[in-house]
Amino acid sequence: MTEACIIGWAHSPFGKLEDAPDIETLIGRVARAAIEDAGITPEEVDAGFVGVYGEGFTPQGFPSSLVLQHVPEMRFRPITRFENACATGSAAIHGARDFIRAGRGRFALVVGAEKMTAVSGQRVGEILLTASHNRTEGEIQGGFAGVFGRIAEAYFQRHGDQSDALAAIAAKNHRNGVDNPWAQMRKDLGYAFCRAESEKNPFVAGPLKRTDCSLVSDGAAALVITDEETARAMAKSVRFRAAVQVNDLLPIAGRDIIRFEGAREAWRRAHAEAGSSLADLSFVETHDCFTVAELIEYEAMGLTPEGQGARAALEGWTAPDGRLPVNRSGGLKAKGHPIGATGVSMHVLAAMQLTGNAGAMQLPRADLAGVFNMGGAAVANYVSILEGGF
């Protein structure tokens, strides 16, 4: 079975995009651009895979064929919409990878997009809470911030107050986001601002302040995937060494929620498939929807033992010049988190690093990357191991 490779990509700015009134416009900004970046023609694309969460963010359901509004040459090709909460983009990528590995086609287009800012802040919270267990968690105040506020409280109760570490994670990611031309917030807020409660940085849910929460965003990203043999003849390519999905129980009450066990298992399986270990990775893009999520993910990926994730943050392990740079892009914290686009964006930014095309974000060593994208509170867990220069 051939392996799949990424050979082209496109990325829109993330943020409150008033010049993009709907999901159709966002899809159009990246679909054809990714095909052109891959160096192929639209007629050569065999299938499309579209990631849009929706769930009330947009009145437009059934978004798959919106690609044809901008790439009419793909008419009569199969195009499918994917959704798996905040891991929607990675779900679409997995669908495309499976399509290529099965030999059903030569080129697949993946598009992830979300228009979040057209609804009120209260409605955003209500929509995001649909990614939790409605029966037992549907009344949590503060939307998904409330869910992760509870997770942070539980972590603090077991391992002590980690407010210093959360502030360090926020400050790192905002500092990194300055170098990302597509980031929603390109401002180095500094540790002191992120650490202190203030009028501009109030508590949102439990111990989480505004700087601990990812941004409400519009945006889109796209990539083109092909088989390994074809990729070797292309201008640039990034190969999947592994791509793993692990789902866990939806209700947080049914799990030891501060351990992110699904994420642990996804990382374990991905390294087994790739024949790699964490020490082999040059960098990681991980799902920091909230700073406490990144903290727990340090432990889930094996960077630190349980309860010691703060060391990685406070001792600079995850800084650009640390032992394992994490979220050099600024992460969801600074880059933004348009739900359907997030997983695709993470893979695009990792591919840019691996091909030496990351501009001001470029790391001096970028050979093997880990990408972790999750849906819900560590419910749908996706890990990719990507390599460049093969």
Side-chain angles (χ1 to χ4, degrees), residues 101-153:
R101 295 181 82 209
R104 294 180 57 203
R106 191 178 180 204
F107 295 107
L109 172 68
V110 181
V111 179
E114 209 74 60
K115 176 70 179 180
M116 299 177 70
T117 67
V119 299
S120 69
Q122 179 179 343
R123 183 63 181 140
V124 169
E126 292 169 353
I127 292 170
L128 292 180
L129 199 57
T130 64
S132 64
H133 188 239
N134 182 262
R135 185 183 302 169
T136 59
E137 298 157 18
E139 300 302 320
I140 291 178
Q141 296 298 307
F144 226 64
V147 172
F148 273 85
R150 289 191 179 185
I151 292 171
E153 287 173 341

Side-chain angles (χ1 to χ4, degrees), residues 66-378:
L66 293 176
V67 171
L68 301 180
Q69 305 299 102
H70 307 281
V71 192
E73 298 91 336
M74 286 180 61
R75 190 181 181 195
F76 304 132
R77 307 293 200 279
I79 309 175
T80 306
R81 182 263 188 100
F82 286 74
E83 183 277 311
N84 218 0
C86 298
T88 286
S90 289
I93 290 172
H94 275 233
R97 176 177 178 256
D98 290 345
F99 177 85
I100 294 298
R101 295 181 82 209
R104 294 180 57 203
R106 191 178 180 204
F107 295 107
L109 172 68
V110 181
V111 179
E114 209 74 60
K115 176 70 179 180
M116 299 177 70
T117 67
V119 299
S120 69
Q122 179 179 343
R123 183 63 181 140
V124 169
E126 292 169 353
I127 292 170
L128 292 180
L129 199 57
T130 64
S132 64
H133 188 239
N134 182 262
R135 185 183 302 169
T136 59
E137 298 157 18
E139 300 302 320
I140 291 178
Q141 296 298 307
F144 226 64
V147 172
F148 273 85
R150 289 191 179 185
I151 292 171
E153 287 173 341
Y155 190 96
F156 284 20
Q157 287 170 5
R158 189 177 302 179
H159 299 301
D161 189 324
Q162 304 296 325
S163 297
D164 290 349
L166 299 190
I169 290 169
K172 167 185 68 73
N173 289 346
H174 280 293
R175 187 166 57 249
N176 286 344
V178 172
D179 295 326
N180 185 344
W182 299 305
Q184 181 168 352
M185 185 177 289
R186 300 183 66 188
K187 184 177 182 180
D188 184 357
L189 297 179
Y191 173 81
F193 178 84
C194 295
R195 180 64 181 86
E197 178 193 8
S198 65
E199 183 179 349
K200 292 185 177 180
N201 191 28
F203 283 102
V204 174
L208 301 180
K209 298 185 287 293
R210 183 173 292 164
T211 51
D212 294 306
C213 307
S214 59
L215 303 165
V216 175
S217 317
D218 309 328
L223 51 82
V224 175
I225 294 178
T226 190
D227 61 88
E228 187 172 348
E229 182 179 357
T230 299
R232 291 184 182 276
M234 308 306 286
K236 59 182 182 291
S237 60
V238 170
R239 180 177 181 270
F240 282 89
R241 282 266 293 268
V244 168
Q245 175 189 356
V246 169
N247 270 52
D248 206 344
L249 298 167
L250 183 59
I252 60 177
R255 301 175 274 148
D256 185 351
I257 191 55
I258 67 171
R259 298 190 69 243
F260 282 17
E261 293 165 284
R264 288 173 186 272
E265 182 62 14
W267 275 107
R268 186 193 69 77
R269 293 186 189 183
H271 283 306
E273 183 178 312
S276 62
S277 68
L278 191 70
D280 296 320
L281 300 183
S282 307
F283 65 95
V284 165
E285 286 289 322
T286 201
H287 194 101
D288 61 319
C289 50
F290 299 91
T291 53
V292 69
E294 181 168 328
L295 180 73
I296 298 172
E297 286 157 20
Y298 294 160
E299 300 169 16
M301 72 177 74
L303 183 59
T304 74
E306 286 186 30
Q308 297 183 34
R311 290 189 60 199
L314 296 172
E315 297 177 16
W317 297 8
T318 56
D321 59 353
R323 66 172 69 175
L324 182 67
V326 175
N327 288 337
R328 183 63 184 92
S329 67
L332 286 57
K333 179 78 267 292
K335 181 181 62 177
H337 183 21
I339 307 300
T342 288
V344 182
S345 168
M346 296 170 87
H347 284 78
V348 167
L349 287 157
M352 291 178 67
Q353 285 283 355
L354 292 168
T355 56
N357 290 300
M361 296 179 285
Q362 188 65 51
L363 293 162
R365 173 181 169 241
D367 304 314
L368 197 66
V371 176
F372 173 69
N373 180 207
M374 73 178 180

Side-chain angles (χ1 to χ4, degrees), residues 11-67:
H11 202 296
S12 84
F14 282 4
K16 185 176 176 60
L17 305 181
E18 295 181 354
D19 61 342
D22 51 36
I23 198 76
E24 182 177 333
T25 306
L26 289 167
I27 289 172
R29 291 195 172 172
V30 295
R32 184 174 288 271
I35 295 169
E36 292 175 352
D37 186 65
I40 63 174
T41 66
E43 290 86 355
E44 292 179 277
V45 179
D46 296 299
F49 301 80
V50 177
V52 175
Y53 182 56
E55 296 298 322
F57 281 127
T58 173
Q60 175 65 64
F62 191 36
S64 55
S65 277
L66 293 176
V67 171

